[in-house]
Protein backbone atom coordinates (compact mmCIF):
# COMPACT_ATOMS: atom_id res chain seq x y z
CA UNK A 1 0.00 0.00 0.00
CA UNK A 2 1.36 3.40 -0.94
CA UNK A 3 1.74 6.09 1.76
CA UNK A 4 -1.07 8.08 0.13
CA UNK A 5 -3.36 5.05 0.13
CA UNK A 6 -2.49 4.27 3.74
CA UNK A 7 -3.28 7.83 4.76
CA UNK A 8 -6.59 7.70 2.92
CA UNK A 9 -7.48 4.44 4.70
CA UNK A 10 -7.21 6.08 8.15
CA UNK A 11 -10.67 7.30 9.24
CA UNK A 12 -10.93 11.05 9.64
CA UNK A 13 -11.21 12.29 13.19
CA UNK A 14 -14.71 13.39 14.22
CA UNK A 15 -15.40 17.08 13.63
CA UNK A 16 -17.02 19.23 16.32
CA UNK A 17 -18.29 22.65 15.30
CA UNK A 18 -18.62 25.10 18.20
CA UNK A 19 -21.19 27.78 17.43
CA UNK A 20 -22.77 30.88 18.91
CA UNK A 21 -25.25 33.51 17.83
CA UNK A 22 -24.67 37.20 18.49
CA UNK A 23 -26.44 40.50 17.95
CA UNK A 24 -25.09 43.95 18.83
CA UNK A 25 -23.06 42.82 21.83
CA UNK A 26 -19.42 43.16 20.68
CA UNK A 27 -17.93 43.48 24.17
CA UNK A 28 -19.65 40.35 25.45
CA UNK A 29 -18.88 38.49 22.23
CA UNK A 30 -15.18 39.38 22.54
CA UNK A 31 -15.14 37.89 26.05
CA UNK A 32 -16.67 34.69 24.70
CA UNK A 33 -13.99 34.51 22.00
CA UNK A 34 -11.26 35.06 24.59
CA UNK A 35 -12.55 32.13 26.65
CA UNK A 36 -12.75 29.93 23.53
CA UNK A 37 -9.11 30.80 22.81
CA UNK A 38 -8.17 29.29 26.19
CA UNK A 39 -10.46 26.25 25.82
CA UNK A 40 -8.95 22.75 25.79
CA UNK A 41 -9.63 20.52 22.79
CA UNK A 42 -10.80 16.92 23.34
CA UNK A 43 -8.35 14.26 22.23
CA UNK A 44 -8.95 12.55 18.91
CA UNK A 45 -11.24 15.19 17.39
CA UNK A 46 -11.06 18.16 15.06
CA UNK A 47 -12.69 21.42 16.12
CA UNK A 48 -13.95 24.36 14.05
CA UNK A 49 -16.01 27.40 14.98
CA UNK A 50 -19.00 29.11 13.41
CA UNK A 51 -20.54 32.36 14.64
CA UNK A 52 -23.78 33.79 13.28
CA UNK A 53 -24.65 37.46 13.45
CA UNK A 54 -28.37 38.24 13.52
CA UNK A 55 -28.49 41.74 12.09
CA UNK A 56 -28.74 43.75 8.87
CA UNK A 57 -25.01 43.51 8.16
CA UNK A 58 -21.95 41.52 9.20
CA UNK A 59 -19.78 43.39 11.70
CA UNK A 60 -18.01 40.51 13.50
CA UNK A 61 -15.95 39.30 10.53
CA UNK A 62 -12.72 40.94 11.69
CA UNK A 63 -13.12 39.67 15.25
CA UNK A 64 -13.65 36.12 13.99
CA UNK A 65 -10.64 36.30 11.66
CA UNK A 66 -8.44 37.48 14.54
CA UNK A 67 -9.81 34.71 16.73
CA UNK A 68 -9.09 32.04 14.08
CA UNK A 69 -5.51 33.27 13.74
CA UNK A 70 -4.91 33.25 17.50
CA UNK A 71 -6.66 29.92 18.04
CA UNK A 72 -5.07 28.25 15.02
CA UNK A 73 -8.34 26.59 14.07
CA UNK A 74 -10.94 27.27 11.34
CA UNK A 75 -13.58 29.85 12.26
CA UNK A 76 -16.29 31.38 10.09
CA UNK A 77 -18.78 34.20 10.49
CA UNK A 78 -22.18 33.96 8.82
CA UNK A 79 -24.91 36.56 8.50
CA UNK A 80 -28.61 35.92 9.16
CA UNK A 81 -30.68 39.03 8.45
CA UNK A 82 -34.07 37.64 9.48
CA UNK A 83 -34.57 38.85 13.08
CA UNK A 84 -35.01 36.06 15.59
CA UNK A 85 -32.88 33.58 17.52
CA UNK A 86 -34.09 30.40 15.76
CA UNK A 87 -33.08 31.83 12.35
CA UNK A 88 -29.55 32.45 13.62
CA UNK A 89 -29.28 29.07 15.30
CA UNK A 90 -30.40 27.35 12.10
CA UNK A 91 -27.76 29.32 10.17
CA UNK A 92 -25.08 27.81 12.42
CA UNK A 93 -26.71 24.37 12.15
CA UNK A 94 -26.74 24.58 8.35
CA UNK A 95 -23.10 25.63 8.29
CA UNK A 96 -22.10 22.68 10.49
CA UNK A 97 -24.09 20.26 8.35
CA UNK A 98 -22.49 21.75 5.25
CA UNK A 99 -19.04 21.09 6.68
CA UNK A 100 -19.93 17.44 7.27
CA UNK A 101 -19.51 17.88 11.02
CA UNK A 102 -20.24 15.03 13.41
CA UNK A 103 -21.27 17.18 16.38
CA UNK A 104 -22.45 20.74 16.97
CA UNK A 105 -21.93 22.60 20.24
CA UNK A 106 -23.71 25.83 21.18
CA UNK A 107 -23.02 28.50 23.76
CA UNK A 108 -24.49 32.01 24.14
CA UNK A 109 -22.62 35.17 23.21
CA UNK A 110 -22.81 36.53 26.78
CA UNK A 111 -20.98 33.55 28.27
CA UNK A 112 -17.46 32.42 29.03
CA UNK A 113 -16.65 28.72 28.91
CA UNK A 114 -14.54 26.89 31.46
CA UNK A 115 -11.18 25.76 30.06
CA UNK A 116 -12.24 22.10 30.21
CA UNK A 117 -15.85 22.76 29.12
CA UNK A 118 -15.78 21.04 25.73
CA UNK A 119 -13.64 18.15 27.00
CA UNK A 120 -16.08 17.40 29.82
CA UNK A 121 -19.14 17.85 27.63
CA UNK A 122 -17.85 15.70 24.78
CA UNK A 123 -16.53 12.95 27.06
CA UNK A 124 -19.93 12.58 28.77
CA UNK A 125 -21.67 12.81 25.40
CA UNK A 126 -19.65 9.80 24.18
CA UNK A 127 -19.93 7.93 27.48
CA UNK A 128 -23.73 8.08 27.44
CA UNK A 129 -24.20 7.77 23.68
CA UNK A 130 -26.66 10.66 23.89
CA UNK A 131 -28.00 12.57 20.89
CA UNK A 132 -28.06 15.82 22.89
CA UNK A 133 -26.00 16.67 25.98
CA UNK A 134 -26.03 19.76 28.18
CA UNK A 135 -24.59 21.27 31.32
CA UNK A 136 -25.07 24.14 33.78
CA UNK A 137 -24.44 27.84 33.46
CA UNK A 138 -23.77 30.15 36.37
CA UNK A 139 -23.95 33.95 36.55
CA UNK A 140 -20.90 36.20 36.74
CA UNK A 141 -21.35 39.15 39.07
CA UNK A 142 -21.17 42.52 37.27
CA UNK A 143 -18.07 44.60 37.97
CA UNK A 144 -20.21 47.71 38.52
CA UNK A 145 -21.43 48.50 42.07
CA UNK A 146 -24.91 47.07 42.66
CA UNK A 147 -27.82 48.77 44.37
CA UNK A 148 -29.68 46.85 47.07
CA UNK A 149 -32.41 45.90 44.57
CA UNK A 150 -29.86 44.76 41.99
CA UNK A 151 -28.05 42.73 44.66
CA UNK A 152 -31.34 41.01 45.51
CA UNK A 153 -31.83 40.12 41.84
CA UNK A 154 -28.28 38.83 41.44
CA UNK A 155 -28.49 36.74 44.60
CA UNK A 156 -31.81 35.36 43.37
CA UNK A 157 -30.38 34.48 39.94
CA UNK A 158 -27.36 32.78 41.52
CA UNK A 159 -29.55 30.73 43.84
CA UNK A 160 -31.89 29.82 40.97
CA UNK A 161 -29.02 28.60 38.77
CA UNK A 162 -27.55 26.57 41.63
CA UNK A 163 -30.93 24.95 42.37
CA UNK A 164 -31.44 24.12 38.69
CA UNK A 165 -27.98 22.54 38.49
CA UNK A 166 -28.60 20.43 41.58
CA UNK A 167 -32.05 19.37 40.34
CA UNK A 168 -30.69 18.43 36.91
CA UNK A 169 -27.89 16.43 38.46
CA UNK A 170 -30.38 14.48 40.59
CA UNK A 171 -32.53 13.75 37.52
CA UNK A 172 -29.47 12.59 35.59
CA UNK A 173 -28.36 10.26 38.39
CA UNK A 174 -31.89 8.85 38.62
CA UNK A 175 -31.77 7.86 34.97
CA UNK A 176 -34.44 10.35 33.85
CA UNK A 177 -37.48 8.07 33.87
CA UNK A 178 -40.27 10.21 32.40
CA UNK A 179 -38.46 13.48 33.11
CA UNK A 180 -35.02 14.56 31.92
CA UNK A 181 -32.99 17.73 32.46
CA UNK A 182 -33.88 20.24 29.76
CA UNK A 183 -30.89 20.95 27.51
CA UNK A 184 -30.74 24.53 26.18
CA UNK A 185 -28.29 26.25 23.87
CA UNK A 186 -26.40 28.06 26.61
CA UNK A 187 -24.55 24.74 27.05
CA UNK A 188 -25.43 22.26 24.28
CA UNK A 189 -23.84 19.48 22.22
CA UNK A 190 -25.79 17.55 19.58
CA UNK A 191 -25.01 14.50 17.47
CA UNK A 192 -25.60 15.66 13.90
CA UNK A 193 -26.23 12.15 12.61
CA UNK A 194 -29.51 12.16 14.53
CA UNK A 195 -30.43 15.59 13.19
CA UNK A 196 -29.68 14.49 9.62
CA UNK A 197 -31.89 11.42 10.04
CA UNK A 198 -34.82 13.28 11.59
CA UNK A 199 -34.50 16.68 9.90
CA UNK A 200 -34.84 18.42 13.26
CA UNK A 201 -34.32 22.19 13.23
CA UNK A 202 -35.08 25.13 15.49
CA UNK A 203 -38.69 26.28 15.13
CA UNK A 204 -38.50 29.54 13.19
CA UNK A 205 -42.16 30.20 13.94
CA UNK A 206 -41.08 31.24 17.44
CA UNK A 207 -39.19 34.23 16.00
CA UNK A 208 -38.40 36.78 18.71
CA UNK A 209 -40.37 35.01 21.42
CA UNK A 210 -37.62 32.77 22.78
CA UNK A 211 -37.95 29.13 23.75
CA UNK A 212 -36.82 27.63 20.43
CA UNK A 213 -34.10 25.62 22.19
CA UNK A 214 -36.62 24.21 24.67
CA UNK A 215 -38.94 23.36 21.78
CA UNK A 216 -36.01 21.67 20.01
CA UNK A 217 -35.26 19.61 23.13
CA UNK A 218 -38.87 18.43 23.35
CA UNK A 219 -39.03 17.62 19.63
CA UNK A 220 -35.81 15.62 19.88
CA UNK A 221 -37.16 13.62 22.80
CA UNK A 222 -40.43 12.99 20.97
CA UNK A 223 -38.45 11.76 17.96
CA UNK A 224 -36.77 9.15 20.16
CA UNK A 225 -33.56 11.07 20.83
CA UNK A 226 -31.58 10.37 23.98
CA UNK A 227 -30.43 13.25 26.16
CA UNK A 228 -27.86 13.62 28.91
CA UNK A 229 -26.65 16.29 31.31
CA UNK A 230 -23.36 16.71 33.17
CA UNK A 231 -22.51 19.09 36.00
CA UNK A 232 -18.83 18.94 35.03
CA UNK A 233 -19.16 20.99 31.81
CA UNK A 234 -19.54 24.56 33.07
CA UNK A 235 -20.17 27.90 31.42
CA UNK A 236 -20.54 31.29 33.06
CA UNK A 237 -22.93 34.07 32.02
CA UNK A 238 -22.39 37.82 32.22
CA UNK A 239 -25.49 39.54 33.60
CA UNK A 240 -26.11 43.08 32.27
CA UNK A 241 -27.38 45.56 34.85
CA UNK A 242 -30.52 46.02 32.76
CA UNK A 243 -31.51 42.46 33.66
CA UNK A 244 -31.02 42.99 37.38
CA UNK A 245 -34.39 44.61 37.91
CA UNK A 246 -37.75 43.42 39.19
CA UNK A 247 -39.39 44.54 35.96
CA UNK A 248 -37.09 42.53 33.72
CA UNK A 249 -37.37 39.37 35.83
CA UNK A 250 -41.18 39.67 35.84
CA UNK A 251 -41.22 40.15 32.04
CA UNK A 252 -38.84 37.23 31.61
CA UNK A 253 -41.24 34.97 33.47
CA UNK A 254 -44.20 36.39 31.55
CA UNK A 255 -42.57 35.78 28.16
CA UNK A 256 -41.32 32.31 29.11
CA UNK A 257 -44.87 31.46 30.16
CA UNK A 258 -46.32 32.65 26.84
CA UNK A 259 -43.70 30.75 24.82
CA UNK A 260 -44.12 27.60 26.89
CA UNK A 261 -47.90 27.71 26.45
CA UNK A 262 -47.65 28.14 22.68
CA UNK A 263 -45.07 25.35 22.37
CA UNK A 264 -47.29 22.97 24.34
CA UNK A 265 -50.77 23.95 23.17
CA UNK A 266 -50.45 26.10 20.04
CA UNK A 267 -53.85 27.63 19.27
CA UNK A 268 -55.80 25.06 21.29
CA UNK A 269 -58.42 26.34 23.72
CA UNK A 270 -61.36 24.75 25.50
CA UNK A 271 -62.99 24.42 28.92
CA UNK A 272 -60.51 21.87 30.22
CA UNK A 273 -57.47 23.97 29.26
CA UNK A 274 -59.06 27.13 30.64
CA UNK A 275 -59.80 25.39 33.96
CA UNK A 276 -56.28 23.99 34.08
CA UNK A 277 -54.90 27.47 33.37
CA UNK A 278 -56.99 29.03 36.12
CA UNK A 279 -55.48 26.61 38.63
CA UNK A 280 -52.01 27.33 37.18
CA UNK A 281 -52.47 31.10 37.63
CA UNK A 282 -53.73 30.70 41.19
CA UNK A 283 -50.91 28.31 42.15
CA UNK A 284 -48.21 30.55 40.67
CA UNK A 285 -49.64 33.62 42.41
CA UNK A 286 -49.66 31.89 45.79
CA UNK A 287 -46.17 30.48 45.18
CA UNK A 288 -44.86 33.89 44.16
CA UNK A 289 -46.29 35.48 47.30
CA UNK A 290 -44.72 32.87 49.58
CA UNK A 291 -41.35 33.21 47.83
CA UNK A 292 -41.49 37.00 48.06
CA UNK A 293 -42.07 36.78 51.81
CA UNK A 294 -39.26 34.24 52.13
CA UNK A 295 -36.89 36.57 50.25
CA UNK A 296 -37.04 38.97 53.19
CA UNK A 297 -35.34 36.32 55.34
CA UNK A 298 -33.03 34.45 52.94
CA UNK A 299 -30.98 37.31 51.54
CA UNK A 300 -33.02 37.47 48.35
CA UNK A 301 -32.33 33.92 47.15
CA UNK A 302 -36.04 33.40 46.39
CA UNK A 303 -36.64 36.93 45.03
CA UNK A 304 -36.19 36.12 41.34
CA UNK A 305 -38.24 32.95 41.74
CA UNK A 306 -41.07 35.06 43.17
CA UNK A 307 -40.94 37.57 40.31
CA UNK A 308 -40.80 34.79 37.72
CA UNK A 309 -43.79 33.06 39.35
CA UNK A 310 -45.87 36.25 39.12
CA UNK A 311 -44.71 36.64 35.52
CA UNK A 312 -45.69 33.06 34.70
CA UNK A 313 -49.18 33.64 36.09
CA UNK A 314 -49.69 36.80 34.04
CA UNK A 315 -48.14 35.22 30.95
CA UNK A 316 -50.60 32.32 31.07
CA UNK A 317 -53.50 34.80 31.02
CA UNK A 318 -51.98 36.64 28.05
CA UNK A 319 -51.32 33.37 26.22
CA UNK A 320 -54.97 32.33 26.61
CA UNK A 321 -55.93 35.69 25.10
CA UNK A 322 -53.75 34.98 22.07
CA UNK A 323 -50.73 37.16 22.86
CA UNK A 324 -47.25 36.35 21.51
CA UNK A 325 -43.93 37.04 23.20
CA UNK A 326 -41.39 39.38 21.61
CA UNK A 327 -38.89 39.07 24.45
CA UNK A 328 -35.78 39.24 22.29
CA UNK A 329 -36.76 42.35 20.36
CA UNK A 330 -34.67 44.29 22.90
CA UNK A 331 -30.96 43.48 23.17
CA UNK A 332 -29.47 43.66 26.66
CA UNK A 333 -25.77 44.16 27.27
CA UNK A 334 -24.99 45.81 23.95
Amino acid sequence: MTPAAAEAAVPAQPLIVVGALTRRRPDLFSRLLASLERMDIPQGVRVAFCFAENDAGLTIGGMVEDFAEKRGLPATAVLETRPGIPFGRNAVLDAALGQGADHLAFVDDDEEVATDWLVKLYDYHLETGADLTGGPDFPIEPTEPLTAAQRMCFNGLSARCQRMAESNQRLELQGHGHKAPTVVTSNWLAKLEFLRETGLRFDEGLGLSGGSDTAFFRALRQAGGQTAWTAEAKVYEHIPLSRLSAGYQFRRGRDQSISSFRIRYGDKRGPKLIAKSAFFVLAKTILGTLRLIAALFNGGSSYVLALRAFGFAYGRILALLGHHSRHYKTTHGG
Side-chain angles (χ1 to χ4, degrees), residues 133-188:
T133 303
D137 70 274
F138 300 101
I140 299 172
E141 183 169 345
T143 56
E144 303 93 332
L146 301 182
T147 65
Q150 289 169 337
R151 170 60 59 189
M152 286 272 284
C153 278
F154 182 79
N155 289 347
L157 283 173
S158 297
R160 178 176 180 270
C161 289
Q162 186 62 43
R163 274 192 288 265
M164 287 177 63
E166 292 171 357
S167 174
N168 285 344
Q169 183 67 1
R170 285 194 298 271
L171 287 173
E172 185 68 21
L173 293 174
Q174 291 167 4
H176 299 179
H178 295 294
K179 184 174 175 60
T182 301
V183 178
V184 295
T185 49
S186 59
N187 193 342
W188 191 97

Side-chain angles (χ1 to χ4, degrees), residues 5 7 17 23 39 84 94 115 118 145 150 166 180 184 206 225-227 255 263 271 289 296 304 312:
E7 183 177 346
V17 171
R23 174 181 169 84
M39 182 187 76
D94 289 338
T115 305
L118 189 59
Q150 289 169 337
E166 292 171 357
V184 295
L206 292 171
Q226 299 300 307
T227 60
D255 292 342
I263 291 169
T289 302
L296 300 174
V304 167
F312 259 82

Side-chain angles (χ1 to χ4, degrees), residues 7 45 57 92 136 159 176 188 192 231 234 248 264 285 289 303 307:
E7 183 177 346
V45 303
V92 175
H176 299 179
W188 191 97
L192 291 183
K234 298 174 183 177
Y248 175 83
R264 286 178 179 270
T285 301
T289 302
Y303 183 55
L307 296 170

Side-chain angles (χ1 to χ4, degrees), residues 8-300:
V10 177
Q13 292 180 325
L15 172 61
I16 303 174
V17 171
V18 178
L21 170 65
T22 190
R23 174 181 169 84
R24 302 180 186 179
R25 302 204 288 191
D27 291 341
L28 290 174
F29 183 58
S30 68
R31 293 180 185 182
L32 169 64
L33 293 181
S35 74
L36 292 174
E37 285 178 27
R38 302 186 295 267
M39 182 187 76
D40 296 333
I41 303 298
Q43 291 186 349
V45 303
R46 297 170 293 145
V47 171
F49 299 87
C50 180
F51 305 105
E53 185 163 14
N54 191 212
D55 213 337
L58 189 66
T59 66
I60 64 171
M63 298 173 67
V64 174
E65 288 178 5
D66 290 344
F67 166 78
E69 184 176 351
K70 292 175 183 176
R71 179 77 249 204
L73 293 170
T76 57
V78 299
L79 176 65
E80 175 51 71
T81 58
R82 294 173 294 173
I85 289 176
F87 296 111
R89 286 174 178 157
N90 280 334
V92 175
L93 173 58
D94 289 338
L97 292 171
Q99 293 179 47
D102 300 279
H103 305 275
L104 172 61
F106 262 117
V107 287
D108 289 341
D109 67 341
D110 56 0
E111 293 177 334
E112 295 184 22
V113 303
T115 305
D116 61 357
W117 164 71
L118 189 59
V119 172
K120 297 291 188 181
L121 190 62
Y122 182 67
D123 284 351
Y124 196 69
H125 190 64
L126 291 186
E127 178 186 332
T128 60
D131 300 298
L132 180 64
T133 303
D137 70 274
F138 300 101
I140 299 172
E141 183 169 345
T143 56
E144 303 93 332
L146 301 182
T147 65
Q150 289 169 337
R151 170 60 59 189
M152 286 272 284
C153 278
F154 182 79
N155 289 347
L157 283 173
S158 297
R160 178 176 180 270
C161 289
Q162 186 62 43
R163 274 192 288 265
M164 287 177 63
E166 292 171 357
S167 174
N168 285 344
Q169 183 67 1
R170 285 194 298 271
L171 287 173
E172 185 68 21
L173 293 174
Q174 291 167 4
H176 299 179
H178 295 294
K179 184 174 175 60
T182 301
V183 178
V184 295
T185 49
S186 59
N187 193 342
W188 191 97
L189 178 63
K191 185 186 297 181
L192 291 183
E193 179 184 2
F194 186 82
L195 304 194
R196 288 187 179 97
E197 291 174 353
T198 59
L200 273 178
R201 295 172 63 79
F202 294 97
D203 183 356
E204 295 178 352
L206 292 171
L208 294 168
S209 68
S212 62
D213 49 357
T214 302
F216 184 98
F217 166 81
R218 290 175 176 164
L220 182 139
R221 294 276 296 180
Q222 289 171 0
Q226 299 300 307
T227 60
W229 192 92
T230 173
E232 300 300 316
K234 298 174 183 177
V235 301
Y236 302 90
E237 178 184 359
H238 290 276
I239 308 295
L241 291 182
S242 59
R243 290 184 173 177
L244 294 179
S245 71
Y248 175 83
Q249 295 302 325
F250 174 83
R251 292 191 298 273
R252 180 68 170 142
R254 176 200 67 190
D255 292 342
Q256 284 182 323
S257 182
I258 294 171
S259 295
S260 177
F261 181 89
R262 297 200 66 82
I263 291 169
R264 286 178 179 270
Y265 304 112
D267 295 323
K268 293 180 181 178
R269 299 295 184 272
K272 183 179 289 188
L273 183 54
I274 292 173
K276 183 177 180 180
S277 295
F279 178 79
F280 176 91
V281 169
L282 178 62
K284 288 294 184 182
T285 301
I286 294 172
L287 181 62
T289 302
L290 294 175
R291 285 173 168 171
L292 192 59
I293 294 170
L296 300 174
F297 305 96
N298 60 24

